[in-house]
Amino acid sequence: MIDPGPASSAAPAAPVPATLATRFRGYLPVVVDVETGGFDWNKHALLEIAVQPIELDADGRLVPGEVASAHVVPAAGTLIDPKSLEVTGIDIDHPFRGAKPERQALEAVFAPVREAVKRHGCQRAILVGHNAHFDLNFLNAAVARSGHKRNPFHPFSVFDTVTLAGVAYGQTVLARAVQAAGFVWNGEEAHSAVYDTERTAELFCKIVNAWPARGAGG
């Protein structure tokens, strides 16, 4: 009788999940939402900003990290359309708003992003947003106005959850996309930079995690 040798019934090893340093070509996805005094980043004020770096759990799946946010004092020379305040509910003169000058507000959210980029061995952050170029344009305008020199974000590349949600769920409105993904949407909390950032982060992670995994370096 011929000895068949040791049985090879063990399941093939699962692919090693990519690290965040390799998953997106060295870019760390960071979800960003801004609330503003209008639609024109060249003239309307930045009023709120929130950021949420994306992390990896023990199984190599994307999960939202910690949120950092800041209320912003309207920069000199910028304008505020009252209709925008009706939508966002922001009270510029509220005594407990705790708004920071633009440069300080940017540093308050940039510092944890730079830390996350370094911790994950990435080269820089890439902005994730719903209608992402709106947020990026306001961010870049504030950086230019304030002369901030340590912006961790790529200057023009983004991941847009409008596109991702349109492909995944056939929905492009954030509220509908979030609900289509199986999450709860609270319309009373919408148009807060923190709330919209958290929901966008959940949406981004849900869609990307459903995509077939690639090995580290794939």
Side-chain angles (χ1 to χ4, degrees), residues 51-89:
V51 303
Q52 189 169 20
I54 298 301
E55 306 284 348
L56 282 179
D57 68 12
D59 296 320
R61 294 172 62 82
L62 302 186
V63 292
E66 293 187 12
V67 177
S69 65
H71 294 272
V72 187
V73 176
T78 59
L79 305 176
I80 298 175
D81 184 341
K83 293 181 179 179
S84 292
L85 300 186
E86 292 176 9
V87 172
T88 62

Side-chain angles (χ1 to χ4, degrees), residues 7 21 91 104-105 125 129 135 141 153 160 162-163 166-167 172 186 196 207 209:
D91 181 354
Q104 293 180 24
D135 301 282
F153 287 93
D160 197 334
V162 170
T163 302
V167 172
T172 58
N186 185 339
D196 287 2
I207 295 171
N209 285 334

Side-chain angles (χ1 to χ4, degrees), residues 17 65 69 71 79 81 83 115 119 127 195 197 214:
S69 65
H71 294 272
L79 305 176
D81 184 341
K83 293 181 179 179
E115 187 279 330
R119 175 162 44 84
L127 186 147
Y195 184 80
T197 294
R214 301 182 66 186

Side-chain angles (χ1 to χ4, degrees), residues 61-64 161 165 168-169 173-187 195-210:
R61 294 172 62 82
L62 302 186
V63 292
T161 52
Y169 305 117
V173 175
L174 181 59
R176 294 179 180 178
V178 165
Q179 291 171 318
F183 301 113
V184 174
W185 178 263
N186 185 339
Y195 184 80
D196 287 2
T197 294
E198 291 174 335
R199 300 293 79 75
T200 302
E202 289 177 337
L203 180 64
F204 177 76
C205 291
K206 177 77 176 283
I207 295 171
V208 176
N209 285 334

Side-chain angles (χ1 to χ4, degrees), residues 37-187:
F39 295 110
D40 188 337
W41 53 88
N42 291 313
K43 66 179 183 180
H44 287 128
L46 175 65
L47 302 177
E48 289 182 13
I49 182 169
V51 303
Q52 189 169 20
I54 298 301
E55 306 284 348
L56 282 179
D57 68 12
D59 296 320
R61 294 172 62 82
L62 302 186
V63 292
E66 293 187 12
V67 177
S69 65
H71 294 272
V72 187
V73 176
T78 59
L79 305 176
I80 298 175
D81 184 341
K83 293 181 179 179
S84 292
L85 300 186
E86 292 176 9
V87 172
T88 62
I90 295 173
D91 181 354
I92 296 296
D93 300 316
H94 196 287
F96 302 122
R97 186 166 176 257
K100 296 178 172 64
E102 202 167 59
R103 186 183 178 92
Q104 293 180 24
L106 290 175
E107 184 56 24
V109 297
F110 284 174
V113 171
R114 290 196 301 266
E115 187 279 330
V117 168
K118 181 178 180 181
R119 175 162 44 84
H120 286 289
C122 293
Q123 298 171 14
R124 67 190 316 171
I126 186 168
L127 186 147
V128 179
H130 205 75
N131 292 310
H133 278 104
F134 177 88
D135 301 282
L136 182 64
N137 285 334
F138 268 96
L139 184 66
N140 285 341
V143 167
R145 274 194 304 268
S146 63
H148 199 291
K149 302 299 184 183
R150 301 187 68 197
N151 178 5
F153 287 93
H154 193 285
F156 54 83
S157 291
V158 298
F159 291 141
D160 197 334
T161 52
V162 170
T163 302
L164 293 174
V167 172
Y169 305 117
Q171 299 290 346
T172 58
V173 175
L174 181 59
R176 294 179 180 178
V178 165
Q179 291 171 318
F183 301 113
V184 174
W185 178 263
N186 185 339

